[in-house]
């Protein structure tokens, strides 16, 4: 099946590159990350971004799929699991909520 | 432009629609408009026959202060679309039957380029932040982030 029920996040693949946030026409994605320096990685060490929070506001999302298309690591995936909420604040999903939307075939 | 796409002057809009109806294209698939810039709005409609197989797209371009003759007389199905276009783009149809009652957060028609949407003004663009950077780096290295297609670009 290929219908678009919602969008899930595999947080372990996200590099916090911000491409999805900047491409989203509905401004519904927000993320924050912290820079972590690993001094033991190579002669000068290596800095990486560690994802702290990632939210999609499904009250704004229009399922256009641009974020899924532009994600360079395929961390964002279309999900067949429908997403619904009884109150407006519950439409804002964080890392844990978005992880639950990743179907078994996508993980 | 193919035979199935026609551009007509504003003053021939209604007459052209009547001709289409006489040729059997009596149904309205849609009627909508686009703000093409420089204060002009392109209005287009797709008309088809009862089977839907024979269709034509008709366009016209009007200025901000011009009125457009309604085609409801020959195509009653255009009524809702004309009201919607009136609300969303501020197009004045003649005779004027008003809009569909859309109420936004601004008096300006929301699909005009010059209209600033409240939802965009109230919130800071999420993409403006730069995770892991404190803003103290050389300005040469970090280019300022701007919303793609900002309002200055829209109105030009």
């Amino acid at each position: 099946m290929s219908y678009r029920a919602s969008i899930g996040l595999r947080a372990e693949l996200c590099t916090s590159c911000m491409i999805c946030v900047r491409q989203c026409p509905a401004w519904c994605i927000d993320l924050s990350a912290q820079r972590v320096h690993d001094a033991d990685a190579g002669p000068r060490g290596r800095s990486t971004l560690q994802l702290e929070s990632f939210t999609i506001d499904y009250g704004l999302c229009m399922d256009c799929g641009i974020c899924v298309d532009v994600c360079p690591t395929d961390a964002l995936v279309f999900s067949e699991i429908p997403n619904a909420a009884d109150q407006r604040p519950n439409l804002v999903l964080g890392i844990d909520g978005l992880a639950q939307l990743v179907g078994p075939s996508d993980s | 432009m193919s035979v199935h796409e026609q551009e007509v002057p504003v003053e021939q809009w209604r007459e052209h629609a009547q001709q289409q109806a006489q040729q059997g294209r009596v149904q309205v698939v849609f009627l909508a408009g686009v703000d093409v810039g420089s204060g002009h709005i392109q209005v287009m409609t797709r008309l088809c026959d009862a089977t839907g197989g024979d269709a034509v797209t008709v366009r016209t371009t009007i200025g901000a202060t011009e009125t457009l003759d309604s085609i409801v007389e020959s195509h009653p199905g255009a009524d809702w679309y004309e009201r919607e276009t009136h609300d969303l783009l501020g197009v004045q149809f003649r005779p004027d039957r008003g809009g569909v009652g859309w109420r936004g957060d601004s008096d300006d028609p929301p699909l005009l380029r010059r209209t600033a949407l409240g939802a965009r003004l109230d919130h800071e663009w999420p993409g403006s932040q730069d995770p892991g950077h404190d803003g103290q780096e050389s300005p040469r290295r970090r280019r300022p982030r701007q919303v793609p297609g900002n309002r200055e670009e829209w109105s030009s």
Side-chain angles (χ1 to χ4, degrees):
Chain A
M1 294 175 70
S2 61
Y3 73 94
R4 299 172 173 183
S6 52
I7 293 166
L9 172 72
R10 295 179 289 190
E12 68 278 9
L13 298 180
C14 177
T15 60
S16 309
C17 66
M18 294 287 289
I19 293 176
C20 57
V21 178
R22 290 177 177 139
Q23 292 294 317
C24 175
W27 296 18
C28 72
I29 306 176
D30 207 348
L31 78 79
S32 65
Q34 188 178 17
R35 184 165 290 278
V36 179
H37 186 75
D38 182 2
D40 299 328
R44 291 195 297 176
R46 187 175 66 174
S47 290
T48 54
L49 287 173
Q50 194 169 44
L51 189 65
E52 285 184 323
S53 71
F54 189 108
T55 60
I56 294 181
D57 186 345
Y58 277 102
L60 299 174
C61 176
M62 54 185 180
D63 261 358
C64 67
I66 291 176
C67 58
V68 176
D69 285 346
V70 298
C71 181
T73 61
D74 290 340
L76 287 165
V77 290
F78 272 121
S79 167
E80 296 173 6
I81 302 171
N83 175 34
D86 56 347
Q87 292 183 342
R88 175 73 179 82
N90 297 338
L91 284 171
V92 182
L93 297 188
I95 292 177
D96 293 339
L98 293 170
Q100 291 177 9
L101 292 178
V102 178
S105 60
D106 299 318
S107 57
Chain B
M1 189 172 283
S2 72
V3 179
H4 300 292
E5 293 194 22
Q6 299 164 357
E7 180 118 20
V8 299
V10 179
E11 56 273 15
Q12 293 178 17
W13 178 252
R14 177 183 285 165
E15 184 187 343
H16 191 82
Q18 288 170 344
Q19 290 172 3
Q20 296 299 323
Q22 287 164 8
Q23 292 169 20
R25 301 185 189 101
V26 292
Q27 292 192 0
V28 178
V29 180
F30 74 88
L31 184 148
V34 177
D35 183 353
V36 292
S38 307
H40 288 83
I41 295 169
Q42 186 181 68
V43 179
M44 66 200 77
T45 184
R46 180 87 170 161
L47 308 173
C48 70
D49 65 2
T51 66
D54 181 22
V56 63
T57 301
V58 188
R59 304 172 201 272
T60 191
T61 305
I62 63 169
T65 57
E66 286 183 289
T67 58
L68 187 63
D69 288 331
S70 169
I71 61 168
V72 168
E73 201 174 298
S74 58
H75 295 84
D79 182 59
W80 178 268
Y81 292 113
E82 286 186 357
R83 290 168 185 259
E84 196 175 53
T85 306
H86 172 274
D87 275 356
L88 297 178
L89 287 156
V91 175
Q92 296 292 332
F93 288 91
R94 186 172 52 220
D96 181 18
R97 286 186 307 281
V100 292
W102 181 87
R103 293 286 182 275
D105 48 13
S106 165
D107 290 335
D108 292 326
L111 293 188
L112 287 185
R113 289 167 186 255
R114 61 176 165 81
T115 302
L117 296 179
R120 289 291 184 264
L121 297 176
D122 289 348
H123 296 83
E124 186 187 356
W125 180 47
S128 62
Q129 54 182 313
D130 221 352
H133 295 278
D134 55 9
Q136 301 298 314
E137 293 154 278
S138 163
R140 279 186 184 175
R141 294 189 60 195
R142 311 296 309 174
R143 287 190 303 153
R145 297 285 181 185
Q146 285 192 326
V147 185
N150 58 58
R151 288 189 58 225
E152 285 69 32
E153 289 177 20
W154 297 344
S155 52
S156 63

mmCIF file with all atom_site columns, all heavy atoms in Angstrom, chain B residues 6-27:
data_model
loop_
_atom_site.group_PDB
_atom_site.id
_atom_site.type_symbol
_atom_site.label_atom_id
_atom_site.label_alt_id
_atom_site.label_comp_id
_atom_site.label_asym_id
_atom_site.label_entity_id
_atom_site.label_seq_id
_atom_site.pdbx_PDB_ins_code
_atom_site.Cartn_x
_atom_site.Cartn_y
_atom_site.Cartn_z
_atom_site.occupancy
_atom_site.B_iso_or_equiv
_atom_site.pdbx_formal_charge
_atom_site.auth_seq_id
_atom_site.auth_comp_id
_atom_site.auth_asym_id
_atom_site.auth_atom_id
_atom_site.pdbx_PDB_model_num
ATOM 1   N N   . GLN B 1 6  ? -7.525  28.393 -24.499 1.00 0.00 ? 6  GLN B N   1
ATOM 2   C CA  . GLN B 1 6  ? -7.796  29.635 -25.210 1.00 0.00 ? 6  GLN B CA  1
ATOM 3   C C   . GLN B 1 6  ? -7.640  30.812 -24.259 1.00 0.00 ? 6  GLN B C   1
ATOM 4   O O   . GLN B 1 6  ? -8.038  30.737 -23.103 1.00 0.00 ? 6  GLN B O   1
ATOM 5   C CB  . GLN B 1 6  ? -9.225  29.607 -25.773 1.00 0.00 ? 6  GLN B CB  1
ATOM 6   C CG  . GLN B 1 6  ? -9.427  28.466 -26.768 1.00 0.00 ? 6  GLN B CG  1
ATOM 7   C CD  . GLN B 1 6  ? -10.892 28.189 -27.037 1.00 0.00 ? 6  GLN B CD  1
ATOM 8   O OE1 . GLN B 1 6  ? -11.767 28.799 -26.449 1.00 0.00 ? 6  GLN B OE1 1
ATOM 9   N NE2 . GLN B 1 6  ? -11.151 27.246 -27.922 1.00 0.00 ? 6  GLN B NE2 1
ATOM 10  N N   . GLU B 1 7  ? -7.060  31.891 -24.766 1.00 0.00 ? 7  GLU B N   1
ATOM 11  C CA  . GLU B 1 7  ? -6.930  33.133 -24.007 1.00 0.00 ? 7  GLU B CA  1
ATOM 12  C C   . GLU B 1 7  ? -7.817  34.175 -24.664 1.00 0.00 ? 7  GLU B C   1
ATOM 13  O O   . GLU B 1 7  ? -7.723  34.387 -25.884 1.00 0.00 ? 7  GLU B O   1
ATOM 14  C CB  . GLU B 1 7  ? -5.476  33.595 -23.993 1.00 0.00 ? 7  GLU B CB  1
ATOM 15  C CG  . GLU B 1 7  ? -5.270  34.893 -23.221 1.00 0.00 ? 7  GLU B CG  1
ATOM 16  C CD  . GLU B 1 7  ? -4.353  34.723 -22.035 1.00 0.00 ? 7  GLU B CD  1
ATOM 17  O OE1 . GLU B 1 7  ? -3.602  33.736 -22.022 1.00 0.00 ? 7  GLU B OE1 1
ATOM 18  O OE2 . GLU B 1 7  ? -4.387  35.578 -21.129 1.00 0.00 ? 7  GLU B OE2 1
ATOM 19  N N   . VAL B 1 8  ? -8.677  34.785 -23.875 1.00 0.00 ? 8  VAL B N   1
ATOM 20  C CA  . VAL B 1 8  ? -9.604  35.766 -24.446 1.00 0.00 ? 8  VAL B CA  1
ATOM 21  C C   . VAL B 1 8  ? -9.464  37.091 -23.707 1.00 0.00 ? 8  VAL B C   1
ATOM 22  O O   . VAL B 1 8  ? -9.083  37.121 -22.535 1.00 0.00 ? 8  VAL B O   1
ATOM 23  C CB  . VAL B 1 8  ? -11.075 35.264 -24.353 1.00 0.00 ? 8  VAL B CB  1
ATOM 24  C CG1 . VAL B 1 8  ? -11.253 33.984 -25.130 1.00 0.00 ? 8  VAL B CG1 1
ATOM 25  C CG2 . VAL B 1 8  ? -11.506 35.091 -22.912 1.00 0.00 ? 8  VAL B CG2 1
ATOM 26  N N   . PRO B 1 9  ? -9.777  38.210 -24.382 1.00 0.00 ? 9  PRO B N   1
ATOM 27  C CA  . PRO B 1 9  ? -9.782  39.504 -23.692 1.00 0.00 ? 9  PRO B CA  1
ATOM 28  C C   . PRO B 1 9  ? -10.892 39.549 -22.643 1.00 0.00 ? 9  PRO B C   1
ATOM 29  O O   . PRO B 1 9  ? -11.887 38.816 -22.746 1.00 0.00 ? 9  PRO B O   1
ATOM 30  C CB  . PRO B 1 9  ? -10.061 40.511 -24.817 1.00 0.00 ? 9  PRO B CB  1
ATOM 31  C CG  . PRO B 1 9  ? -9.790  39.782 -26.087 1.00 0.00 ? 9  PRO B CG  1
ATOM 32  C CD  . PRO B 1 9  ? -10.055 38.340 -25.811 1.00 0.00 ? 9  PRO B CD  1
ATOM 33  N N   . VAL B 1 10 ? -10.727 40.428 -21.676 1.00 0.00 ? 10 VAL B N   1
ATOM 34  C CA  . VAL B 1 10 ? -11.690 40.521 -20.567 1.00 0.00 ? 10 VAL B CA  1
ATOM 35  C C   . VAL B 1 10 ? -13.103 40.777 -21.083 1.00 0.00 ? 10 VAL B C   1
ATOM 36  O O   . VAL B 1 10 ? -14.067 40.153 -20.631 1.00 0.00 ? 10 VAL B O   1
ATOM 37  C CB  . VAL B 1 10 ? -11.277 41.665 -19.605 1.00 0.00 ? 10 VAL B CB  1
ATOM 38  C CG1 . VAL B 1 10 ? -12.274 41.782 -18.466 1.00 0.00 ? 10 VAL B CG1 1
ATOM 39  C CG2 . VAL B 1 10 ? -9.888  41.429 -19.079 1.00 0.00 ? 10 VAL B CG2 1
ATOM 40  N N   . GLU B 1 11 ? -13.213 41.676 -22.054 1.00 0.00 ? 11 GLU B N   1
ATOM 41  C CA  . GLU B 1 11 ? -14.556 42.064 -22.522 1.00 0.00 ? 11 GLU B CA  1
ATOM 42  C C   . GLU B 1 11 ? -15.265 40.940 -23.277 1.00 0.00 ? 11 GLU B C   1
ATOM 43  O O   . GLU B 1 11 ? -16.475 40.989 -23.472 1.00 0.00 ? 11 GLU B O   1
ATOM 44  C CB  . GLU B 1 11 ? -14.478 43.337 -23.394 1.00 0.00 ? 11 GLU B CB  1
ATOM 45  C CG  . GLU B 1 11 ? -13.558 43.240 -24.582 1.00 0.00 ? 11 GLU B CG  1
ATOM 46  C CD  . GLU B 1 11 ? -12.112 43.610 -24.258 1.00 0.00 ? 11 GLU B CD  1
ATOM 47  O OE1 . GLU B 1 11 ? -11.746 43.675 -23.057 1.00 0.00 ? 11 GLU B OE1 1
ATOM 48  O OE2 . GLU B 1 11 ? -11.346 43.815 -25.201 1.00 0.00 ? 11 GLU B OE2 1
ATOM 49  N N   . GLN B 1 12 ? -14.503 39.906 -23.694 1.00 0.00 ? 12 GLN B N   1
ATOM 50  C CA  . GLN B 1 12 ? -15.138 38.787 -24.416 1.00 0.00 ? 12 GLN B CA  1
ATOM 51  C C   . GLN B 1 12 ? -15.363 37.562 -23.531 1.00 0.00 ? 12 GLN B C   1
ATOM 52  O O   . GLN B 1 12 ? -15.755 36.507 -24.010 1.00 0.00 ? 12 GLN B O   1
ATOM 53  C CB  . GLN B 1 12 ? -14.270 38.398 -25.619 1.00 0.00 ? 12 GLN B CB  1
ATOM 54  C CG  . GLN B 1 12 ? -14.203 39.462 -26.695 1.00 0.00 ? 12 GLN B CG  1
ATOM 55  C CD  . GLN B 1 12 ? -13.299 39.049 -27.842 1.00 0.00 ? 12 GLN B CD  1
ATOM 56  O OE1 . GLN B 1 12 ? -12.972 37.879 -28.003 1.00 0.00 ? 12 GLN B OE1 1
ATOM 57  N NE2 . GLN B 1 12 ? -12.882 40.023 -28.627 1.00 0.00 ? 12 GLN B NE2 1
ATOM 58  N N   . TRP B 1 13 ? -15.083 37.691 -22.239 1.00 0.00 ? 13 TRP B N   1
ATOM 59  C CA  . TRP B 1 13 ? -15.130 36.546 -21.324 1.00 0.00 ? 13 TRP B CA  1
ATOM 60  C C   . TRP B 1 13 ? -16.511 35.881 -21.304 1.00 0.00 ? 13 TRP B C   1
ATOM 61  O O   . TRP B 1 13 ? -16.651 34.678 -21.497 1.00 0.00 ? 13 TRP B O   1
ATOM 62  C CB  . TRP B 1 13 ? -14.727 37.019 -19.927 1.00 0.00 ? 13 TRP B CB  1
ATOM 63  C CG  . TRP B 1 13 ? -14.764 36.006 -18.834 1.00 0.00 ? 13 TRP B CG  1
ATOM 64  C CD1 . TRP B 1 13 ? -15.665 35.930 -17.812 1.00 0.00 ? 13 TRP B CD1 1
ATOM 65  C CD2 . TRP B 1 13 ? -13.847 34.913 -18.625 1.00 0.00 ? 13 TRP B CD2 1
ATOM 66  N NE1 . TRP B 1 13 ? -15.370 34.887 -16.982 1.00 0.00 ? 13 TRP B NE1 1
ATOM 67  C CE2 . TRP B 1 13 ? -14.256 34.245 -17.454 1.00 0.00 ? 13 TRP B CE2 1
ATOM 68  C CE3 . TRP B 1 13 ? -12.722 34.444 -19.297 1.00 0.00 ? 13 TRP B CE3 1
ATOM 69  C CZ2 . TRP B 1 13 ? -13.596 33.131 -16.955 1.00 0.00 ? 13 TRP B CZ2 1
ATOM 70  C CZ3 . TRP B 1 13 ? -12.056 33.340 -18.796 1.00 0.00 ? 13 TRP B CZ3 1
ATOM 71  C CH2 . TRP B 1 13 ? -12.490 32.704 -17.648 1.00 0.00 ? 13 TRP B CH2 1
ATOM 72  N N   . ARG B 1 14 ? -17.545 36.706 -21.087 1.00 0.00 ? 14 ARG B N   1
ATOM 73  C CA  . ARG B 1 14 ? -18.900 36.140 -20.985 1.00 0.00 ? 14 ARG B CA  1
ATOM 74  C C   . ARG B 1 14 ? -19.379 35.611 -22.339 1.00 0.00 ? 14 ARG B C   1
ATOM 75  O O   . ARG B 1 14 ? -19.934 34.510 -22.444 1.00 0.00 ? 14 ARG B O   1
ATOM 76  C CB  . ARG B 1 14 ? -19.880 37.187 -20.460 1.00 0.00 ? 14 ARG B CB  1
ATOM 77  C CG  . ARG B 1 14 ? -21.324 36.686 -20.401 1.00 0.00 ? 14 ARG B CG  1
ATOM 78  C CD  . ARG B 1 14 ? -22.273 37.768 -19.950 1.00 0.00 ? 14 ARG B CD  1
ATOM 79  N NE  . ARG B 1 14 ? -22.160 38.023 -18.522 1.00 0.00 ? 14 ARG B NE  1
ATOM 80  C CZ  . ARG B 1 14 ? -22.654 39.097 -17.917 1.00 0.00 ? 14 ARG B CZ  1
ATOM 81  N NH1 . ARG B 1 14 ? -23.257 40.033 -18.620 1.00 0.00 ? 14 ARG B NH1 1
ATOM 82  N NH2 . ARG B 1 14 ? -22.540 39.246 -16.623 1.00 0.00 ? 14 ARG B NH2 1
ATOM 83  N N   . GLU B 1 15 ? -19.140 36.410 -23.367 1.00 0.00 ? 15 GLU B N   1
ATOM 84  C CA  . GLU B 1 15 ? -19.574 36.014 -24.704 1.00 0.00 ? 15 GLU B CA  1
ATOM 85  C C   . GLU B 1 15 ? -18.912 34.699 -25.131 1.00 0.00 ? 15 GLU B C   1
ATOM 86  O O   . GLU B 1 15 ? -19.551 33.816 -25.710 1.00 0.00 ? 15 GLU B O   1
ATOM 87  C CB  . GLU B 1 15 ? -19.207 37.140 -25.689 1.00 0.00 ? 15 GLU B CB  1
ATOM 88  C CG  . GLU B 1 15 ? -19.686 36.928 -27.101 1.00 0.00 ? 15 GLU B CG  1
ATOM 89  C CD  . GLU B 1 15 ? -19.129 37.997 -28.045 1.00 0.00 ? 15 GLU B CD  1
ATOM 90  O OE1 . GLU B 1 15 ? -18.656 39.047 -27.540 1.00 0.00 ? 15 GLU B OE1 1
ATOM 91  O OE2 . GLU B 1 15 ? -19.137 37.764 -29.249 1.00 0.00 ? 15 GLU B OE2 1
ATOM 92  N N   . HIS B 1 16 ? -17.638 34.569 -24.788 1.00 0.00 ? 16 HIS B N   1
ATOM 93  C CA  . HIS B 1 16 ? -16.916 33.348 -25.141 1.00 0.00 ? 16 HIS B CA  1
ATOM 94  C C   . HIS B 1 16 ? -17.491 32.141 -24.391 1.00 0.00 ? 16 HIS B C   1
ATOM 95  O O   . HIS B 1 16 ? -17.638 31.050 -24.964 1.00 0.00 ? 16 HIS B O   1
ATOM 96  C CB  . HIS B 1 16 ? -15.431 33.512 -24.800 1.00 0.00 ? 16 HIS B CB  1
ATOM 97  C CG  . HIS B 1 16 ? -14.564 32.432 -25.368 1.00 0.00 ? 16 HIS B CG  1
ATOM 98  N ND1 . HIS B 1 16 ? -14.116 32.448 -26.661 1.00 0.00 ? 16 HIS B ND1 1
ATOM 99  C CD2 . HIS B 1 16 ? -14.077 31.291 -24.822 1.00 0.00 ? 16 HIS B CD2 1
ATOM 100 C CE1 . HIS B 1 16 ? -13.377 31.372 -26.896 1.00 0.00 ? 16 HIS B CE1 1
ATOM 101 N NE2 . HIS B 1 16 ? -13.342 30.649 -25.787 1.00 0.00 ? 16 HIS B NE2 1
ATOM 102 N N   . ALA B 1 17 ? -17.867 32.347 -23.145 1.00 0.00 ? 17 ALA B N   1
ATOM 103 C CA  . ALA B 1 17 ? -18.458 31.256 -22.356 1.00 0.00 ? 17 ALA B CA  1
ATOM 104 C C   . ALA B 1 17 ? -19.806 30.842 -22.955 1.00 0.00 ? 17 ALA B C   1
ATOM 105 O O   . ALA B 1 17 ? -20.135 29.650 -23.011 1.00 0.00 ? 17 ALA B O   1
ATOM 106 C CB  . ALA B 1 17 ? -18.623 31.693 -20.900 1.00 0.00 ? 17 ALA B CB  1
ATOM 107 N N   . GLN B 1 18 ? -20.564 31.834 -23.411 1.00 0.00 ? 18 GLN B N   1
ATOM 108 C CA  . GLN B 1 18 ? -21.856 31.519 -24.034 1.00 0.00 ? 18 GLN B CA  1
ATOM 109 C C   . GLN B 1 18 ? -21.657 30.696 -25.304 1.00 0.00 ? 18 GLN B C   1
ATOM 110 O O   . GLN B 1 18 ? -22.411 29.750 -25.583 1.00 0.00 ? 18 GLN B O   1
ATOM 111 C CB  . GLN B 1 18 ? -22.607 32.822 -24.337 1.00 0.00 ? 18 GLN B CB  1
ATOM 112 C CG  . GLN B 1 18 ? -23.142 33.501 -23.086 1.00 0.00 ? 18 GLN B CG  1
ATOM 113 C CD  . GLN B 1 18 ? -23.661 34.904 -23.342 1.00 0.00 ? 18 GLN B CD  1
ATOM 114 O OE1 . GLN B 1 18 ? -23.367 35.495 -24.386 1.00 0.00 ? 18 GLN B OE1 1
ATOM 115 N NE2 . GLN B 1 18 ? -24.397 35.449 -22.394 1.00 0.00 ? 18 GLN B NE2 1
ATOM 116 N N   . GLN B 1 19 ? -20.615 31.042 -26.059 1.00 0.00 ? 19 GLN B N   1
ATOM 117 C CA  . GLN B 1 19 ? -20.324 30.268 -27.280 1.00 0.00 ? 19 GLN B CA  1
ATOM 118 C C   . GLN B 1 19 ? -19.952 28.829 -26.924 1.00 0.00 ? 19 GLN B C   1
ATOM 119 O O   . GLN B 1 19 ? -20.357 27.873 -27.600 1.00 0.00 ? 19 GLN B O   1
ATOM 120 C CB  . GLN B 1 19 ? -19.184 30.935 -28.050 1.00 0.00 ? 19 GLN B CB  1
ATOM 121 C CG  . GLN B 1 19 ? -19.567 32.258 -28.701 1.00 0.00 ? 19 GLN B CG  1
ATOM 122 C CD  . GLN B 1 19 ? -18.353 32.977 -29.279 1.00 0.00 ? 19 GLN B CD  1
ATOM 123 O OE1 . GLN B 1 19 ? -17.237 32.466 -29.246 1.00 0.00 ? 19 GLN B OE1 1
ATOM 124 N NE2 . GLN B 1 19 ? -18.570 34.174 -29.801 1.00 0.00 ? 19 GLN B NE2 1
ATOM 125 N N   . GLN B 1 20 ? -19.193 28.668 -25.840 1.00 0.00 ? 20 GLN B N   1
ATOM 126 C CA  . GLN B 1 20 ? -18.806 27.313 -25.414 1.00 0.00 ? 20 GLN B CA  1
ATOM 127 C C   . GLN B 1 20 ? -20.040 26.510 -25.022 1.00 0.00 ? 20 GLN B C   1
ATOM 128 O O   . GLN B 1 20 ? -20.141 25.311 -25.321 1.00 0.00 ? 20 GLN B O   1
ATOM 129 C CB  . GLN B 1 20 ? -17.831 27.391 -24.230 1.00 0.00 ? 20 GLN B CB  1
ATOM 130 C CG  . GLN B 1 20 ? -16.504 28.040 -24.548 1.00 0.00 ? 20 GLN B CG  1
ATOM 131 C CD  . GLN B 1 20 ? -15.730 27.304 -25.628 1.00 0.00 ? 20 GLN B CD  1
ATOM 132 O OE1 . GLN B 1 20 ? -15.748 26.083 -25.690 1.00 0.00 ? 20 GLN B OE1 1
ATOM 133 N NE2 . GLN B 1 20 ? -15.072 28.056 -26.494 1.00 0.00 ? 20 GLN B NE2 1
ATOM 134 N N   . ALA B 1 21 ? -20.974 27.175 -24.343 1.00 0.00 ? 21 ALA B N   1
ATOM 135 C CA  . ALA B 1 21 ? -22.208 26.494 -23.932 1.00 0.00 ? 21 ALA B CA  1
ATOM 136 C C   . ALA B 1 21 ? -23.018 26.073 -25.158 1.00 0.00 ? 21 ALA B C   1
ATOM 137 O O   . ALA B 1 21 ? -23.590 24.968 -25.199 1.00 0.00 ? 21 ALA B O   1
ATOM 138 C CB  . ALA B 1 21 ? -23.028 27.413 -23.029 1.00 0.00 ? 21 ALA B CB  1
ATOM 139 N N   . GLN B 1 22 ? -23.057 26.938 -26.176 1.00 0.00 ? 22 GLN B N   1
ATOM 140 C CA  . GLN B 1 22 ? -23.791 26.607 -27.401 1.00 0.00 ? 22 GLN B CA  1
ATOM 141 C C   . GLN B 1 22 ? -23.151 25.430 -28.126 1.00 0.00 ? 22 GLN B C   1
ATOM 142 O O   . GLN B 1 22 ? -23.824 24.675 -28.831 1.00 0.00 ? 22 GLN B O   1
ATOM 143 C CB  . GLN B 1 22 ? -23.839 27.837 -28.317 1.00 0.00 ? 22 GLN B CB  1
ATOM 144 C CG  . GLN B 1 22 ? -24.784 28.920 -27.813 1.00 0.00 ? 22 GLN B CG  1
ATOM 145 C CD  . GLN B 1 22 ? -24.541 30.262 -28.485 1.00 0.00 ? 22 GLN B CD  1
ATOM 146 O OE1 . GLN B 1 22 ? -23.758 30.350 -29.431 1.00 0.00 ? 22 GLN B OE1 1
ATOM 147 N NE2 . GLN B 1 22 ? -25.190 31.305 -27.993 1.00 0.00 ? 22 GLN B NE2 1
ATOM 148 N N   . GLN B 1 23 ? -21.855 25.268 -27.929 1.00 0.00 ? 23 GLN B N   1
ATOM 149 C CA  . GLN B 1 23 ? -21.154 24.146 -28.557 1.00 0.00 ? 23 GLN B CA  1
ATOM 150 C C   . GLN B 1 23 ? -21.218 22.884 -27.692 1.00 0.00 ? 23 GLN B C   1
ATOM 151 O O   . GLN B 1 23 ? -20.543 21.897 -27.976 1.00 0.00 ? 23 GLN B O   1
ATOM 152 C CB  . GLN B 1 23 ? -19.692 24.538 -28.820 1.00 0.00 ? 23 GLN B CB  1
ATOM 153 C CG  . GLN B 1 23 ? -19.540 25.619 -29.880 1.00 0.00 ? 23 GLN B CG  1
ATOM 154 C CD  . GLN B 1 23 ? -18.124 26.179 -29.948 1.00 0.00 ? 23 GLN B CD  1
ATOM 155 O OE1 . GLN B 1 23 ? -17.183 25.532 -29.490 1.00 0.00 ? 23 GLN B OE1 1
ATOM 156 N NE2 . GLN B 1 23 ? -17.977 27.364 -30.501 1.00 0.00 ? 23 GLN B NE2 1
ATOM 157 N N   . GLY B 1 24 ? -21.973 22.949 -26.594 1.00 0.00 ? 24 GLY B N   1
ATOM 158 C CA  . GLY B 1 24 ? -22.190 21.759 -25.781 1.00 0.00 ? 24 GLY B CA  1
ATOM 159 C C   . GLY B 1 24 ? -21.360 21.689 -24.517 1.00 0.00 ? 24 GLY B C   1
ATOM 160 O O   . GLY B 1 24 ? -21.573 20.801 -23.680 1.00 0.00 ? 24 GLY B O   1
ATOM 161 N N   . ARG B 1 25 ? -20.419 22.606 -24.361 1.00 0.00 ? 25 ARG B N   1
ATOM 162 C CA  . ARG B 1 25 ? -19.574 22.581 -23.151 1.00 0.00 ? 25 ARG B CA  1
ATOM 163 C C   . ARG B 1 25 ? -20.300 23.377 -22.059 1.00 0.00 ? 25 ARG B C   1
ATOM 164 O O   . ARG B 1 25 ? -20.000 24.550 -21.827 1.00 0.00 ? 25 ARG B O   1
ATOM 165 C CB  . ARG B 1 25 ? -18.197 23.157 -23.451 1.00 0.00 ? 25 ARG B CB  1
ATOM 166 C CG  . ARG B 1 25 ? -17.483 22.394 -24.563 1.00 0.00 ? 25 ARG B CG  1
ATOM 167 C CD  . ARG B 1 25 ? -16.068 22.895 -24.778 1.00 0.00 ? 25 ARG B CD  1
ATOM 168 N NE  . ARG B 1 25 ? -15.509 22.278 -25.971 1.00 0.00 ? 25 ARG B NE  1
ATOM 169 C CZ  . ARG B 1 25 ? -15.418 22.884 -27.161 1.00 0.00 ? 25 ARG B CZ  1
ATOM 170 N NH1 . ARG B 1 25 ? -15.842 24.130 -27.295 1.00 0.00 ? 25 ARG B NH1 1
ATOM 171 N NH2 . ARG B 1 25 ? -14.917 22.263 -28.202 1.00 0.00 ? 25 ARG B NH2 1
ATOM 172 N N   . VAL B 1 26 ? -21.218 22.707 -21.403 1.00 0.00 ? 26 VAL B N   1
ATOM 173 C CA  . VAL B 1 26 ? -22.115 23.394 -20.473 1.00 0.00 ? 26 VAL B CA  1
ATOM 174 C C   . VAL B 1 26 ? -21.713 23.207 -19.007 1.00 0.00 ? 26 VAL B C   1
ATOM 175 O O   . VAL B 1 26 ? -22.265 23.842 -18.118 1.00 0.00 ? 26 VAL B O   1
ATOM 176 C CB  . VAL B 1 26 ? -23.563 22.890 -20.652 1.00 0.00 ? 26 VAL B CB  1
ATOM 177 C CG1 . VAL B 1 26 ? -24.115 23.333 -21.996 1.00 0.00 ? 26 VAL B CG1 1
ATOM 178 C CG2 . VAL B 1 26 ? -23.630 21.369 -20.529 1.00 0.00 ? 26 VAL B CG2 1
ATOM 179 N N   . GLN B 1 27 ? -20.767 22.326 -18.764 1.00 0.00 ? 27 GLN B N   1
ATOM 180 C CA  . GLN B 1 27 ? -20.396 22.068 -17.371 1.00 0.00 ? 27 GLN B CA  1
ATOM 181 C C   . GLN B 1 27 ? -19.099 22.788 -17.008 1.00 0.00 ? 27 GLN B C   1
ATOM 182 O O   . GLN B 1 27 ? -18.191 22.900 -17.830 1.00 0.00 ? 27 GLN B O   1
ATOM 183 C CB  . GLN B 1 27 ? -20.228 20.569 -17.136 1.00 0.00 ? 27 GLN B CB  1
ATOM 184 C CG  . GLN B 1 27 ? -21.545 19.813 -17.222 1.00 0.00 ? 27 GLN B CG  1
ATOM 185 C CD  . GLN B 1 27 ? -21.411 18.400 -16.696 1.00 0.00 ? 27 GLN B CD  1
ATOM 186 O OE1 . GLN B 1 27 ? -20.341 17.980 -16.266 1.00 0.00 ? 27 GLN B OE1 1
ATOM 187 N NE2 . GLN B 1 27 ? -22.492 17.665 -16.730 1.00 0.00 ? 27 GLN B NE2 1
#
